[in-house]
Amino acid sequence: MIVTPVVYCEDDQTLVDAFNHLPRPNMDSNYWSSDELKDLRGRVKTFYITAQGSRCCYCNRHLGTENHRVWDVEHIADRSKHAWFMFTPTNLAAACLDCNTAKSSTEVLTNARRVTYPSGSQHFKIIHPHFNRFADHILRVGQVYLPKTSKGKFTIYKCDLLRFAEKYIEWENRAVDRRFETEVSTVFADGLMAQAAVENIIAQLPNAE
């Protein structure tokens, strides 16, 4: 799924425009948390939860609720590093609390000095919900996330998607151990190996998520 960007209502656009006209040195990322933006934040969160079909933009899990307390508004390019992108619609999405906490302030831009927001996936290290389809970069088999691309691998590690395997499957090594990366990197080495590896993983999984 490619997520559609939010369109601000007139009142919200006024607040956005006022911020975007500030000189860059005066753009304070903490403004996002101000009381003045409470309604805007709520509308943005509701929009992206719905637009994403109640699925986290990083782990692609269906949360089964629209309750705002279990969702975060995600700034894909972190607002503490790139405050000038704070209200850019294509920089916003809805993420589960665990993925957003794990990603934290990770730099996801290939060029951290950008002053204009990128218009394509090639400028991001991470899976971008407005530019990428999850399944093109990650194969999910039950609790296991396997990278198809370098972007998929980056997302798996930076958003700690290995936490699901750690919780439900008894891996020989902890998933965060770098040896795990070597193991999963071989999965897509060739078609026969991929098929055998995936079948082996499926055999280990519980029936339910």
Side-chain angles (χ1 to χ4, degrees):
M1 176 190 296
I2 303 294
V3 177
T4 302
V6 68
V7 176
Y8 294 113
C9 67
E10 185 175 352
D11 288 344
D12 291 345
Q13 190 65 57
T14 298
L15 294 171
V16 171
D17 290 343
F19 181 85
N20 286 342
H21 281 93
L22 293 172
R24 279 181 56 195
N26 294 344
M27 290 181 167
D28 183 358
S29 63
N30 292 320
Y31 178 55
W32 179 260
S33 302
S34 68
D35 290 341
E36 185 178 8
L37 294 185
K38 180 180 179 180
D39 291 341
L40 180 152
R41 291 195 304 270
R43 284 188 282 267
V44 168
K45 186 179 289 190
T46 295
F47 175 86
Y48 281 110
I49 292 170
T50 301
Q52 295 169 204
S54 297
R55 289 184 177 274
C56 171
C57 65
Y58 294 128
C59 67
N60 201 37
R61 297 257 168 169
H62 188 270
L63 271 63
T65 180
E66 297 182 2
N67 189 314
H68 280 204
R69 287 181 291 181
V70 301
W71 291 93
D72 279 337
V73 175
E74 161 63 356
H75 291 84
I76 299 160
D78 183 61
R79 62 186 169 89
S80 69
K81 290 184 169 71
H82 309 281
W84 47 97
F85 297 147
M86 192 157 64
F87 294 103
T88 303
T90 47
N91 194 47
L92 300 173
C96 72
L97 301 183
D98 287 342
C99 280
N100 198 29
T101 299
K103 174 178 172 282
S104 186
S105 59
T106 298
E107 180 58 73
V108 302
L109 291 171
T110 57
N111 178 5
R113 297 181 178 181
R114 287 194 67 107
V115 295
T116 58
Y117 199 78
S119 59
S121 168
Q122 69 273 23
H123 301 290
F124 292 88
K125 304 174 190 176
I126 201 166
I127 293 175
H128 195 299
H130 293 280
F131 303 138
N132 299 122
R133 289 182 171 82
F134 184 88
D136 291 340
H137 298 275
I138 292 176
L139 171 65
R140 178 187 162 197
V141 186
Q143 313 301 337
V144 179
Y145 290 76
L146 297 169
K148 294 183 178 181
T149 64
S150 59
K151 193 183 294 283
K153 182 182 291 185
F154 185 93
T155 305
I156 287 171
Y157 276 96
K158 297 304 179 181
C159 297
D160 192 24
L161 303 190
L162 303 177
R163 67 186 185 270
F164 299 104
E166 287 184 341
K167 183 176 180 180
Y168 293 103
I169 300 174
E170 294 183 359
W171 294 99
E172 182 179 352
N173 302 313
R174 276 183 53 81
V176 293
D177 190 312
R178 299 305 292 181
R179 287 171 292 182
F180 181 82
E181 179 176 343
T182 301
E183 294 171 13
V184 298
S185 293
T186 63
V187 170
F188 292 94
D190 61 59
L192 291 177
M193 185 180 292
Q195 182 176 350
V198 171
E199 288 176 355
N200 180 57
I201 289 167
I202 291 173
Q204 300 179 57
L205 296 173
N207 293 328
E209 294 186 2

